[in-house]
Amino acid sequence: MRLILTLVALLAAGTASAERLTLERLHADPSLSGPGVRSLKVSPDGARVTFLRARPDDQFQLDLWEYNMKDKTTRRLVDSKVLVPVENLSDAEKARRERERTAALKGIISYSWSPDGKQLLVPLAGNLYLVDLSKPDTARLVAAGSVIDPKISPKGKYVSFVRDQNLFVIDLATGQERQLTTDGKGTVHNGEAEFVAQEEMDQRTGYYWAPDDSAIAFRWYDEAPVPVRQRFEISAESTKVIDQRYPAAGETNAIVGLKIVSPAGGDIREVDLGANKDIYLVRADWSKDARSLFFQRQSRDQKKLELIAVDVATLAQRPVLTESADTWTSIHDDLRFLDSGKGFIWSSERTGRNHLYLYGMDGKLKHAISKGEWGFDSLLAVDEKAGKVYVSSNKDAAYDKQVYELKLDGSSADKPKRITKADGWHDASFSKNGEVFVDTWSDPANPPQVAIRRPDGTLLSWVDENKVDESHAYFKYKPDLLPVEFGNMKAKDGQTLYYSIIKPYKFDANKKYPVYLSTYGGPHAQHVTRKWDGGQFDQYMAQQGYVVFRLDNRGSSRRERVFTDAIYRNLGKVEVEDQLTGIEWLGKQSYVDPSRIGVYGWSYGGFMTLRLLSQASDKIAAGVSGAPVTDWGLYDTHYTEQFMDHPKNNAEGYKQSNVFYHVDGLKSKLLLIHGMADDNVLFTNTTKMIDALVNRGVQFELMTYPGAKHGVSSRTAKRHVQTYIDAFFRKNLKPESN
């Protein structure tokens, strides 16, 4: 009888074990996060919410769906597989998706509403379709041939797009296609953003419609002055030598221009961007009456950001306002013109925190809309009629994102009202009039739930409640989901550092565990967040017996300027110092084995891994560095010079920031990973690292991926990467089998 009970217990344990996460399951369908709803938009008439949803049999193939708010029904509007069974993307579209970090996705990845709410514009595989909501099964092909960045004009008279480096419109009344520019070829582009603007300035478009459909302002650029980098794109079956115009730190950028053209065609007029051509054109916006075009111009050293108004009739200009900083000015997308025509909203970090300000059209400051010892992330909506402004912020917890209400008149500037209630992460998309918003909420224990709410946060209805019940893909794994704990510690200069920690499966405080430390560490990113981990790799590693640890060092985003500015002119210095503060804290925990700490990071995180191993091999047993920047002189102008200044002004800073200045100290076990077609962090960064390690007699492991870009986007390659990381740390840190 005892033997039978023992066998039953062993079988039960085996069954329970089988319900835990595996790497195979992390990369299988359906997604463990649920349906994968994204790109949520409220229709112009407020009657429905549209969104993209992954297919149950392929979480990377997206279809277009709608939720009808009146009858509370959900239906698929466009089946991407029916519309285009096989996708063939142009090189330009592939590059664009790489910039937008959507290279892994298929099907419909973007769409837009017509102003009357009766039609949707859907790009798919280089073609362009108009979908009538009354008969969505009969999508109409309106343009073909490698179409990118399509839009419906604000009044709905035209469809516009870029094809073969030129700007086109289609008159929807006549169906006539009209080419507005003709010089786009070779190094000249119209209606597109240049490489650094796409990659580093969050520019997803290169043209801007006037609100009355009377004109289009568009970017023009010539990248002929940009140095050509010859790089290899090594795929499984071929090797190509690519001539890529890539402006590395200190080198010449593309020549940029801003032009205006009528959708009816005719003369193209050029806006004067100033005598100094070595500038960044950040973006352009139209006034509500379409009489003025406003553009933002940033100096090459990024210490000055100007807003300039252009009289569209005469092209006469006037400066509106100027932001300046000793380190860098941050660019943003928070310029909003009031419908009344009496002013505009602008954001600034001039006080050390990101706040909103109301200006008159003459550029004179009226008052602050927000102020105090907190900052906001983004401007979500303006309800002029109600006199309210809605923003997202981490005011109540550094690792959360919440929605807050402010008064347009500034009366609540230091007392924002929190609208969203649940702790965690809320991504909000408001209707045009601000009367409702779509709230996508998650926390580490709950995958994203999508709700429609009133502006006061009251629930109207669910778009996707995404409950983890018996029908959910994560249901059988939920019992073993490990809690994520949050805390903080002090940096060497006294500033607060936030961290998250997951303790291992079947945690025993009397045991000593190895550590898997995941880092990014760079600016424009936050690694410690109270939201659902869609990849679930941290959970997997904790279930394998690791303490999983993250820490946001100085320089990370969504913090005050004194925190972010600490990295200026010496990348890696304070970041490494702060991560080592975290490692020292870990070493003092009774359940941590300080001799078995491993570090993993990708991109900037890959740079951080190499710097940490080079400076602290006595504290870190092993590290995995993916697609690392090893020499900041190889990385692009806008990003590098923002944080490092121009190389001619900071030669010593560049020297000390590069990995090679410290590499003699690298003694720990190392795995290097890089895609063999990376056009962002060029593969040269890794070949230089290989050479440095070989010359020093340092043994290491190397894994390269044929055809892979910076993100290594294919499902099989991602699974292989994580399998290798798992095996590498298992071999070198030896976690106890759970």
Side-chain angles (χ1 to χ4, degrees):
M1 185 66 176
R2 184 175 298 172
L3 176 61
I4 293 173
L5 289 173
T6 302
L7 286 171
V8 169
L10 287 171
L11 287 169
T15 303
S17 176
E19 304 303 315
R20 284 166 50 213
L21 296 170
T22 65
L23 290 175
E24 291 74 17
R25 184 60 192 90
L26 294 189
H27 298 277
D29 291 313
S31 169
L32 291 172
S33 298
V37 173
R38 64 175 72 203
S39 298
L40 293 127
K41 298 180 182 181
V42 181
S43 62
D45 59 5
R48 49 180 54 83
V49 173
T50 46
F51 53 91
L52 302 178
R53 172 179 276 174
R55 301 169 75 95
D57 60 343
D58 186 349
Q59 61 187 281
F60 300 105
Q61 181 89 29
L62 306 179
D63 297 327
L64 179 60
W65 290 69
E66 74 154 9
Y67 174 82
N68 188 299
M69 289 200 275
K70 183 178 180 180
D71 59 22
K72 295 181 169 41
T73 57
T74 301
R75 65 167 175 159
R76 181 163 58 186
L77 292 174
V78 182
D79 185 326
S80 60
K81 280 285 203 181
V82 170
L83 202 58
V84 179
V86 179
E87 295 183 37
N88 293 301
L89 301 180
S90 67
D91 289 341
E93 177 62 18
K94 289 177 183 177
R96 180 181 176 86
R97 293 190 183 193
E98 186 68 26
R99 302 283 80 77
E100 295 178 350
R101 307 297 189 260
T102 58
L105 301 178
K106 299 173 292 182
I108 302 169
I109 66 169
S110 65
Y111 67 94
S112 55
W113 276 99
S114 64
D116 61 8
K118 294 180 180 179
Q119 292 181 309
L120 288 156
L121 187 64
V122 178
L124 182 56
N127 296 329
L128 195 54
Y129 301 88
L130 265 179
V131 178
D132 191 321
L133 284 181
S134 64
K135 43 184 178 179
D137 293 336
T138 57
R140 177 163 62 100
L141 178 67
V142 293
S146 301
V147 169
I148 61 173
D149 195 18
K151 301 176 185 179
I152 298 180
S153 64
K155 293 297 183 182
K157 297 177 183 177
Y158 302 94
V159 164
S160 54
F161 56 87
V162 175
R163 182 201 289 143
D164 298 329
Q165 301 173 208
N166 283 296
L167 185 60
F168 292 76
V169 295
I170 296 173
D171 187 319
L172 290 177
T174 65
Q176 179 186 1
E177 180 179 295
R178 184 177 298 117
Q179 184 171 343
L180 300 180
T181 65
T182 57
D183 62 339
K185 58 188 173 185
T187 59
V188 174
H189 295 247
N190 293 283
E192 298 178 70
E194 67 276 20
F195 173 82
V196 293
Q198 290 187 45
E199 183 63 40
E200 310 299 356
M201 299 163 63
D202 199 28
Q203 290 298 284
R204 301 293 179 244
T205 188
Y207 67 97
Y208 318 89
W209 273 100
D212 62 357
D213 282 10
S214 62
I216 302 173
F218 67 94
R219 300 169 77 105
W220 172 98
Y221 73 88
D222 184 355
E223 55 184 355
V226 179
V228 175
R229 292 271 185 303
Q230 283 197 328
R231 62 177 180 83
F232 292 107
E233 281 205 355
I234 303 172
S235 65
E237 298 175 349
S238 65
T239 299
K240 298 178 182 177
V241 179
I242 305 295
D243 289 337
Q244 179 179 351
R245 293 189 182 273
Y246 185 101
E251 294 181 344
T252 307
N253 280 317
I255 300 170
V256 295
L258 180 61
K259 302 185 179 186
I260 302 173
V261 65
S262 166
D267 293 340
I268 295 174
R269 299 182 299 151
E270 185 166 3
V271 176
D272 183 5
L273 297 184
N276 182 4
K277 303 303 180 185
D278 193 14
I279 52 95
Y280 294 106
L281 174 60
V282 178
R283 51 177 50 91
D285 297 273
W286 291 83
S287 62
K288 290 292 183 179
D289 61 9
R291 294 179 180 178
S292 298
L293 177 68
F294 289 71
F295 70 89
Q296 296 178 44
R297 179 176 64 199
Q298 189 179 45
S299 59
R300 172 67 185 258
D301 65 9
Q302 300 180 59
K303 294 182 179 182
K304 183 165 70 172
L305 176 65
E306 299 168 281
L307 180 64
I308 298 167
V310 180
D311 184 298
V312 176
T314 65
L315 297 186
Q317 298 186 14
R318 60 181 175 85
V320 179
L321 62 82
T322 300
E323 298 285 348
S324 59
D326 294 332
T327 52
W328 67 83
T329 53
S330 296
I331 58 178
H332 58 81
D333 190 23
D334 297 320
L335 174 60
R336 298 287 193 281
F337 291 98
L338 300 182
D339 290 334
S340 65
K342 295 181 179 179
F344 63 87
I345 296 172
W346 175 263
S347 70
S348 171
E349 295 177 310
R350 65 187 66 147
T351 65
R353 306 264 186 172
N354 197 31
H355 284 300
L356 283 175
Y357 301 87
L358 181 64
Y359 281 85
M361 294 301 290
D362 57 2
K364 292 182 179 179
L365 177 64
K366 293 188 174 184
H367 57 257
I369 298 173
S370 67
K371 64 181 180 181
E373 295 304 305
W374 66 286
F376 81 100
D377 302 321
S378 59
L379 174 58
L380 300 173
V382 179
D383 185 346
E384 271 186 76
K385 187 176 179 181
K388 295 177 180 180
V389 174
Y390 299 94
V391 299
S392 62
S393 174
N394 60 353
K395 178 182 182 295
D396 293 328
Y399 33 77
D400 280 4
K401 182 193 271 190
Q402 303 289 344
V403 178
Y404 295 84
E405 174 198 293
L406 290 159
K407 300 295 186 183
L408 184 58
D409 64 9
S411 59
S412 66
D414 58 349
K415 300 181 290 292
K417 179 183 177 182
R418 179 166 155 181
I419 299 303
T420 43
K421 306 304 180 187
D423 290 342
W425 198 270
H426 296 262
D427 284 313
S429 176
F430 276 74
S431 62
K432 188 176 181 180
N433 57 15
E435 291 182 354
V436 297
F437 71 96
V438 183
D439 175 25
T440 303
W441 169 82
S442 73
D443 68 10
N446 294 281
Q449 299 180 335
V450 182
I452 301 171
R453 300 185 183 278
R454 293 190 177 92
D456 63 1
T458 304
L459 176 67
L460 283 174
S461 58
W462 290 103
V463 175
D464 184 3
E465 195 170 0
N466 200 20
K467 281 185 176 180
V468 184
D469 55 21
E470 284 133 341
S471 65
H472 198 283
Y474 203 82
F475 178 73
K476 62 183 180 181
Y477 304 101
K478 187 71 182 281
D480 287 333
L481 181 68
L482 300 168
V484 181
E485 302 171 29
F486 296 87
N488 64 77
M489 62 186 71
K490 294 296 182 181
K492 301 297 184 188
D493 67 352
Q495 295 196 69
T496 302
L497 307 173
Y498 293 93
Y499 69 84
S500 66
I501 191 167
I502 309 175
K503 291 172 183 173
Y505 183 70
K506 294 184 178 178
F507 175 70
D508 183 345
N510 296 314
K511 289 185 176 180
K512 296 279 190 180
Y513 295 94
V515 174
Y516 168 73
L517 189 157
S518 172
T519 184
Y520 180 77
H524 302 321
Q526 183 179 19
H527 206 46
V528 178
T529 54
R530 184 153 56 181
K531 64 181 176 180
W532 178 256
D533 173 15
Q536 288 289 291
F537 189 65
D538 279 8
Q539 281 287 325
Y540 170 81
M541 292 297 279
Q543 290 184 9
Q544 302 311 302
Y546 297 91
V547 171
V548 176
F549 185 78
R550 294 183 175 206
L551 181 141
D552 277 333
N553 49 251
R554 281 170 288 173
S556 302
S557 69
R558 305 184 75 218
R559 293 290 300 272
E560 57 276 13
R561 283 302 297 259
V562 69
F563 188 86
T564 57
D565 285 355
I567 64 174
Y568 189 56
R569 303 185 94 234
N570 199 339
L571 290 177
K573 183 178 184 296
V574 300
E575 300 98 301
V576 168
E577 183 179 286
D578 290 350
Q579 293 295 331
L580 290 178
T581 295
I583 288 172
E584 290 169 8
W585 178 86
L586 284 167
K588 295 174 183 177
Q589 307 311 303
S590 61
Y591 52 85
V592 167
D593 182 348
S595 68
R596 291 189 291 161
I597 294 178
V599 176
Y600 159 77
W602 197 274
S603 193
Y604 200 102
F607 161 73
M608 287 290 294
T609 295
L610 293 174
R611 284 288 303 266
L612 282 163
L613 294 187
S614 297
Q615 294 175 242
S617 276
D618 58 328
K619 297 180 177 67
I620 304 168
V624 177
S625 173
V629 177
T630 58
D631 178 351
W632 287 106
L634 296 174
Y635 201 58
D636 70 53
T637 49
H638 191 275
Y639 184 98
T640 309
E641 293 172 17
Q642 179 177 357
F643 308 114
M644 287 293 295
D645 203 349
H646 195 286
K648 70 181 181 183
N649 301 328
N650 188 23
E652 187 61 24
Y654 275 82
K655 179 181 176 182
Q656 292 185 23
S657 290
N658 290 340
V659 172
F660 308 109
Y661 184 80
H662 309 272
V663 75
D664 287 339
L666 199 158
K667 309 297 181 187
S668 301
K669 300 294 184 182
L670 171 65
L671 168 60
L672 266 178
I673 304 174
H674 213 131
M676 301 178 81
D678 194 333
D679 61 351
N680 179 9
V681 178
L682 303 182
F683 192 60
T684 309
N685 283 274
T686 285
T687 57
K688 286 187 69 173
M689 191 68 202
I690 292 169
D691 190 55
L693 294 171
V694 169
N695 288 338
R696 288 165 174 78
V698 177
Q699 298 297 312
F700 62 98
E701 295 183 41
L702 175 68
M703 186 65 223
T704 57
Y705 289 89
K709 299 287 189 178
H710 187 57
V712 185
S713 59
S714 81
R715 180 185 295 197
T716 52
K718 282 184 175 180
R719 183 174 63 213
H720 194 277
V721 167
Q722 292 189 343
T723 301
Y724 203 152
I725 292 170
D726 178 35
F728 177 80
F729 283 130
R730 193 180 298 276
K731 176 175 63 178
N732 291 295
L733 301 182
K734 297 180 173 58
E736 287 187 22
S737 175
N738 279 314

